[in-house]
Amino acid sequence: MSEHYAQVAKTVNAKQVQDGAGVTLRRSVGTSTLSDVDPFLMLDEFNTENPDEYLEGFPDHPHRGFQTVTYMLQGHFEHKDNKGHRGELTPGDVQWMIAGRGIVHSEMPIQTEGRLHGFQLWVNLPAKDKMCEPVYQEIRASQIPIVEHDESSVKIIAGSYRGTSGAVSTTGVPAYFFDVSIRNGGKFEETLPAGWNGFLYVYEGQGVFGKPLASGVKTQCLVLKKSQHDAKLVASSENGVRFLLLFGRPLDEPIARHGPFVMNTSQEIRQAFVDF
């Protein structure tokens, strides 16, 4: 049986936007160019050492109907919500929050200087789970497994790689979230399940991905073509590259979204605005 390889279907440049109280971000998924990669709804990168671009943070705001994932590379964030929960995110930490039926929270930088670098990912929930109770998974950097090879290293935030399971449980929405580093002249391979959607986001360096080869550079999102077969993703880099790799089983449900709410119908969105 011949081997099937993952192909890059689309390359999207992240757009600079402002969100929260004026935080400068680069958004690759969740724009007019790329609205979603089912089940993934949005990916933002924040990466600046200018405090004016992050100090105001993300004051109190609601969420309903999906999951938010915050992954820190550098910096220090504090999270609080209207249920009395409080947590902190330091370099390498992950917070995976299922907003479910709804929560009001804030995400504010504790630092007043220095670089703030990380990501926020939105992952959809199936209709049957959109009104579940909110749930947090707060994972310290030391709890996230890393698989090291001569040519690459893979930090397994969710899913599994080479028999090693990630730190986060993604019950209800099977999804994989890796932070991959390829060393100079190295390569990386992973197989995406048949029928799943996936993309990768380059945040440092540049590399080539898929077959036929497609180049990807910093702040570019490469969307992978859905395959009817398990498909091997091949990536390599002459001078080193770091990227996020995300793939998941699509929900194939209607998406109605407005601001911080993601439901299945416009009526459900209107009800969320009434409730909050």
Side-chain angles (χ1 to χ4, degrees), residues 25 85 133 152 190 223:
L25 307 164
H85 181 85
E133 289 297 322
S152 65
E190 173 62 341
V223 182

Side-chain angles (χ1 to χ4, degrees), residues 147-251:
V147 175
E148 296 280 359
H149 299 289
D150 290 341
E151 299 181 355
S152 65
S153 67
V154 182
K155 184 181 293 187
I156 312 165
I157 296 168
S160 63
Y161 176 74
R162 300 292 189 266
T164 299
S165 295
V168 173
S169 171
T170 60
T171 55
V173 186
Y176 285 48
F177 183 176
F178 299 160
D179 181 357
V180 182
S181 298
I182 300 179
R183 300 181 179 90
N184 294 4
K187 69 177 181 179
F188 161 84
E189 295 181 350
E190 173 62 341
T191 300
L192 280 63
W196 282 31
N197 289 329
F199 71 94
L200 57 93
Y201 178 78
V202 179
Y203 68 89
E204 187 177 301
Q206 63 182 54
V208 290
F209 306 90
K211 285 190 176 183
L213 299 178
S215 63
V217 300
K218 186 176 177 180
T219 72
Q220 281 189 330
C221 174
L222 285 73
V223 182
L224 302 173
K225 183 179 180 180
K226 185 188 291 187
S227 174
Q228 296 179 344
H229 309 275
D230 290 351
K232 180 185 289 186
L233 173 66
V234 179
S236 61
S237 177
E238 289 186 7
N239 299 306
V241 66
R242 298 184 69 184
F243 61 95
L244 305 182
L245 174 61
L246 297 113
F247 53 103
R249 188 171 67 199
L251 297 177

Side-chain angles (χ1 to χ4, degrees), residues 63-82:
H63 287 303
R64 172 178 281 181
F66 64 102
Q67 308 170 79
T68 68
V69 183
T70 305
Y71 173 37
M72 295 291 293
L73 294 180
Q74 293 177 265
H76 196 176
F77 248 78
E78 180 183 52
H79 168 273
K80 293 180 181 178
D81 69 26
N82 63 338

Side-chain angles (χ1 to χ4, degrees), residues 46-68:
F46 44 93
N47 184 12
T48 179
E49 57 185 8
N50 179 0
D52 292 339
E53 295 183 343
Y54 65 72
L55 276 182
E56 298 302 317
F58 302 89
D60 284 349
H61 57 283
H63 287 303
R64 172 178 281 181
F66 64 102
Q67 308 170 79
T68 68

Side-chain angles (χ1 to χ4, degrees), residues 41 63-67 99-102 122-132 251 253-273 275-276:
L41 300 163
H63 287 303
R64 172 178 281 181
F66 64 102
Q67 308 170 79
R101 63 188 303 158
W122 288 11
V123 186
N124 206 357
L125 284 170
K128 66 182 181 64
D129 294 332
K130 283 187 177 293
M131 296 298 284
C132 71
L251 297 177
E253 295 181 351
I255 296 174
R257 61 193 295 177
H258 194 291
F261 306 126
V262 182
M263 303 299 289
N264 296 105
T265 68
S266 56
Q267 175 56 41
E268 291 170 330
I269 293 292
R270 287 193 291 270
Q271 185 60 51
F273 275 98
D275 293 344
F276 287 96

Side-chain angles (χ1 to χ4, degrees), residues 94-124:
V94 172
Q95 182 194 74
W96 197 296
M97 182 185 78
I98 300 175
R101 63 188 303 158
I103 201 160
V104 177
H105 74 159
S106 64
E107 300 153 296
M108 301 297 292
I110 294 177
Q111 68 197 66
T112 57
E113 60 183 11
R115 180 167 295 279
L116 185 71
H117 189 192
F119 305 91
Q120 181 154 109
L121 172 73
W122 288 11
V123 186
N124 206 357

